[in-house]
Amino acid sequence: MSDTQRPAPHPLGPIEAELPLDRAPHEALVTAVLAWKNPDLAPRDYEQIALQLTGHARAVAADVRRHAAALPKNDGRGALAEVILREADRRLSTPLTGTAQCVQNRARLVRALYTRLDRLTEPLQAAT
């Protein structure tokens, strides 16, 4: 392929910008993980679930980041998104452990990111 035949880069970034989030199965996983009382899984099973939630948390965080960047500077939702994103970055930088607590922490993070994403994508309420 010559230089003149390369496709133009996506304006929002990598290919992930074109893929919709697969929200329903991940929300179901989050709900199931947060309902655990005394799970008895092998550490490698916890690690696999944590990896799944970590990857999805990164994808949702990227979506939150894109939506927040598109907001006007005076929109307070962007500032709140930045707080959530800093916390997400901090939590995602911690190493995974093969424990239920680690998996549940990742599930809480996914839930928080979806809450913020929903607030970024809902229309602003008119001032009354």
Side-chain angles (χ1 to χ4, degrees):
M1 183 180 267
S2 73
D3 288 338
T4 59
Q5 294 177 333
R6 283 195 186 140
H10 192 281
L12 295 177
I15 194 164
E16 291 86 12
E18 298 176 23
L19 300 174
L21 294 173
D22 200 7
R23 187 170 179 161
H26 287 91
E27 283 184 325
L29 178 60
V30 165
T31 300
V33 164
L34 293 177
W36 285 347
K37 297 296 180 209
N38 294 310
D40 186 24
L41 301 176
R44 67 182 171 273
D45 293 332
Y46 290 123
E47 289 170 3
Q48 286 300 308
I49 297 167
L51 280 171
Q52 179 71 28
L53 291 171
T54 298
H56 197 67
R58 290 184 195 285
V60 178
D63 219 21
V64 168
R65 203 168 265 115
R66 279 191 294 278
H67 280 85
L71 292 173
K73 294 294 180 198
N74 63 348
D75 191 324
R77 295 178 299 169
L80 290 173
E82 286 303 316
V83 170
I84 296 292
L85 288 168
R86 278 194 303 273
E87 178 65 12
D89 288 343
R90 184 189 69 74
R91 290 168 67 181
L92 288 170
S93 70
T94 61
L96 295 178
T97 59
T99 65
Q101 180 181 3
C102 175
V103 174
Q104 288 178 321
N105 285 340
R106 297 297 162 121
R108 286 184 196 96
L109 177 58
V110 169
R111 182 172 279 173
L113 287 166
Y114 267 128
T115 298
R116 182 53 39 203
L117 181 62
D118 290 344
R119 292 200 176 125
L120 288 172
T121 57
E122 68 188 10
L124 274 178
Q125 299 296 325
T128 56

